[in-house]
Amino acid sequence: MKTKTQIMKLTFQQGLDGELLRSERKRTIILMSIFSFAALFRIINASFLKPNEEDRLVESFPEIWLFPVVIILFELFSFFYINNRIKTNRQGIPTVLQYLNTAFEICLPSIIIFLIARQYPLFNVLQSPVVFIYFIFIILSTLRLNFRLSLFCGLLSSLSYAGFSIFLYNQFSSSDAGRAFILLFSGIAAGLVARQIRSGIDNTIREAQKRQKAENLFGQHIPAKVAEAMLENNGNFESRRMNVAVLFIDIRDFTKFTAHQTPEEIVRYQNVFFTIVINTVSKHGGIVNQILGDGCMVTFGAPLPLDNPSRPAVQVATELLKDIETAVCEGKLPPTRIGMGIHSGEAVTGNIGNNERQQYSITGSVVIMASRIEQLNKEFHSQVLISGDVYHAVAGKGIVAELYNDICLKGFDEPVKVYKLA
């Protein structure tokens, strides 16, 4: 059985393979487009324009016309092969095939150069535009995101040019050496660019997977700042005491609602409802720690500490009432009434579990009291109730509340003050 670390590595490799296949597919499309345009241009040039004597000589070579056709057919075959691997979620192209592909692409212009040089010895084909075809393959080799493949492409082009200069024309002047080195250095430059792009893709996928790991640890979507704090700690949080605000949200009469709905309708309702909750909570730096069928628990101030976690908790509660009312008016939700309870105080926070299975947990009496306060909404026919601690933390911020004094909560010896906001 694979460990979580092994699964993460496998997922990373699958993501990278997918990116490499899509990049290789893009390369084949660009090559087909370039040589299709080249073939069309030659047809137009031969039919309507007046080429000079050298152009007329080049156009007379049947190999010149055959070359783009062979390249287009070869890249078309490569395109279907890559597309099939993408659709079947298979791994990237084997390294051996990539090197063979590169060698074949470089050998094609080399063969053309060789045939023309042998057939027309007085025409120096190395001085013709045919040589520029090497640069097309070198430049596009960057899309393979492999330094060695780009280097191999440049090296093979350079050796081909140098070999033709020496064995076909019995010369290797300084200009020939310069062109050969330019081809080699072009391959090196393309490889460095490919390595830089590959590094960026690697980092992007790793960060996405780290963020996914952080979200899995919490079980829900988390704000960017909280995710960054988690990534700095590699998702590991030692148990410690933190000042937090806990908000419990409950959907009223959810059991009655589900009794008359199909499973698909219930899931659709939950998706819309909890999307509103998650978006609103995330906007204010909170975390949805637990989602139950008819409600959820939200925390503020952990793992990222806040000066006054009660303030965003109250803001979320008041905004949720408006957001849900808007969703009902727009027909996104059926008539929905919720109850919310908020309490703040010190809680024990940290990871619970082992290396294979962990969950970020917030425990303590603050959580229990917030839950008990939320349950009072049924008794008081209210929607938002907060504890005295929360009220004093946000007092003076335009908060209008009705006081319920000396409320006894199950599990607590001392009566508490509860304030009704809505």
Side-chain angles (χ1 to χ4, degrees):
M1 183 175 179
K2 291 184 174 66
T3 65
K4 185 181 290 187
T5 301
Q6 290 173 326
I7 293 174
M8 287 288 288
K9 288 181 179 179
L10 181 61
T11 304
F12 172 80
Q13 189 59 47
Q14 289 173 341
L16 181 59
D17 285 342
E19 287 297 327
L20 292 176
L21 284 172
R22 284 187 284 273
S23 183
E24 180 70 10
R25 181 175 62 181
K26 186 180 297 182
R27 194 186 73 89
T28 62
I29 293 173
I30 293 174
L31 282 171
M32 284 191 291
S33 302
I34 289 175
F35 287 102
S36 296
F37 176 79
L40 179 63
F41 176 78
R42 289 194 177 280
I43 293 173
I44 295 174
N45 188 46
S47 303
F48 302 103
L49 303 179
K50 294 181 178 181
N52 55 37
E53 186 175 343
E54 184 177 286
D55 290 338
R56 199 179 299 109
L57 178 63
V58 173
E59 296 290 347
S60 67
F61 303 152
E63 295 84 357
I64 294 296
W65 292 92
L66 181 62
F67 172 67
V69 174
V70 173
I71 284 289
I72 292 170
L73 291 176
F74 176 72
E75 298 302 337
L76 187 62
F77 172 80
S78 300
F79 173 82
F80 285 118
Y81 171 77
I82 296 166
N83 222 33
N84 180 64
R85 295 187 77 90
I86 292 175
K87 289 181 178 179
T88 54
N89 293 320
R90 297 174 69 183
Q91 294 181 348
I93 301 173
T95 304
V96 174
L97 288 182
Q98 293 187 56
Y99 277 97
L100 289 175
N101 180 282
T102 301
F104 180 80
E105 290 177 345
I106 296 301
C107 283
L108 276 178
S110 298
I111 292 172
I112 299 300
I113 291 173
F114 177 79
L115 292 175
I116 294 174
R118 293 299 297 270
Q119 188 174 355
Y120 302 93
L122 297 180
F123 176 71
N124 191 343
V125 69
L126 295 180
Q127 306 298 322
S128 72
V130 175
V131 177
F132 293 132
I133 296 173
Y134 287 130
F135 288 102
I136 294 176
F137 291 115
I138 292 172
I139 292 171
L140 291 179
S141 70
T142 56
L143 291 175
R144 284 179 160 151
L145 307 179
N146 188 315
F147 174 81
R148 292 180 180 180
L149 276 173
S150 294
L151 176 61
F152 177 71
C153 186
L155 179 62
L156 200 57
S157 301
S158 178
L159 291 176
S160 298
Y161 185 92
F164 289 141
S165 296
I166 296 172
F167 297 107
L168 290 178
Y169 297 104
N170 297 318
Q171 65 177 23
F172 193 62
S173 64
S174 58
S175 61
D176 291 326
R179 292 189 183 96
F181 278 114
I182 288 174
L183 287 169
L184 175 60
F185 291 143
S186 297
I188 295 174
L192 292 174
V193 173
R195 176 181 289 176
Q196 185 65 30
I197 297 173
R198 171 73 173 266
S199 177
I201 291 176
D202 287 351
N203 292 335
T204 299
I205 295 176
R206 282 197 184 94
E207 290 304 314
Q209 289 182 330
K210 284 183 179 179
R211 185 180 178 91
Q212 184 63 47
K213 180 182 178 181
E215 291 183 4
N216 289 340
L217 184 63
F218 278 89
Q220 297 302 328
H221 173 77
I222 56 178
K225 290 183 179 180
V226 177
E228 290 171 5
M230 290 199 65
L231 295 180
E232 290 176 1
N233 293 276
N234 198 27
N236 297 318
F237 289 96
E238 298 294 333
S239 295
R240 59 171 175 159
R241 292 179 176 271
M242 298 187 71
N243 184 36
V244 302
V246 179
L247 164 65
F248 273 91
I249 303 171
D250 180 73
I251 304 173
R252 291 289 174 257
D253 299 323
F254 185 73
T255 303
K256 292 182 180 179
F257 170 78
T258 58
H260 301 88
Q261 307 295 324
T262 65
E264 292 77 12
E265 290 171 332
I266 295 171
V267 171
R268 191 180 306 116
Y269 172 86
Q270 289 175 315
N271 286 337
V272 174
F273 178 83
F274 287 115
T275 295
I276 296 172
V277 172
I278 291 171
N279 291 340
T280 305
V281 169
S282 298
K283 185 169 61 175
H284 293 281
I287 296 174
V288 180
N289 290 92
Q290 298 177 12
I291 285 186
L292 305 174
D294 60 350
C296 59
M297 169 184 163
V298 181
T299 55
F300 301 84
L304 200 63
L306 297 174
D307 293 335
N308 187 355
S310 296
R311 188 176 303 163
V314 171
Q315 289 175 331
V316 166
T318 54
E319 285 187 23
L320 272 178
L321 294 178
K322 298 177 182 178
D323 293 341
I324 291 173
E325 183 180 354
T326 300
V328 171
C329 292
E330 293 176 352
K332 297 177 181 178
L333 282 175
T336 298
R337 184 175 175 84
I338 61 175
M340 291 178 279
I342 308 173
H343 181 49
S344 63
E346 199 172 63
V348 178
T349 68
N351 291 358
I352 295 177
N354 55 27
N355 291 331
E356 298 305 316
R357 176 62 180 172
Q358 289 187 351
Q359 182 174 348
Y360 187 79
S361 177
I362 297 176
T363 57
S365 61
V366 62
V367 177
I368 299 172
M369 183 171 287
S371 176
R372 296 283 189 267
I373 291 174
E374 186 282 315
Q375 293 170 7
L376 291 174
N377 282 293
K378 297 177 181 179
E379 179 182 341
F380 297 145
H381 304 289
S382 56
Q383 287 189 277
V384 182
L385 294 174
I386 63 175
S387 68
D389 292 334
V390 174
Y391 177 79
H392 292 302
V394 298
K397 303 296 180 181
I399 300 296
V400 178
E402 178 182 350
L403 171 63
Y404 294 101
N405 209 353
D406 297 331
I407 303 298
C408 294
L409 298 177
K410 181 181 178 181
F412 294 89
D413 297 330
E414 299 292 330
V416 297
K417 293 181 179 180
V418 176
Y419 292 81
K420 174 184 174 182
L421 298 185

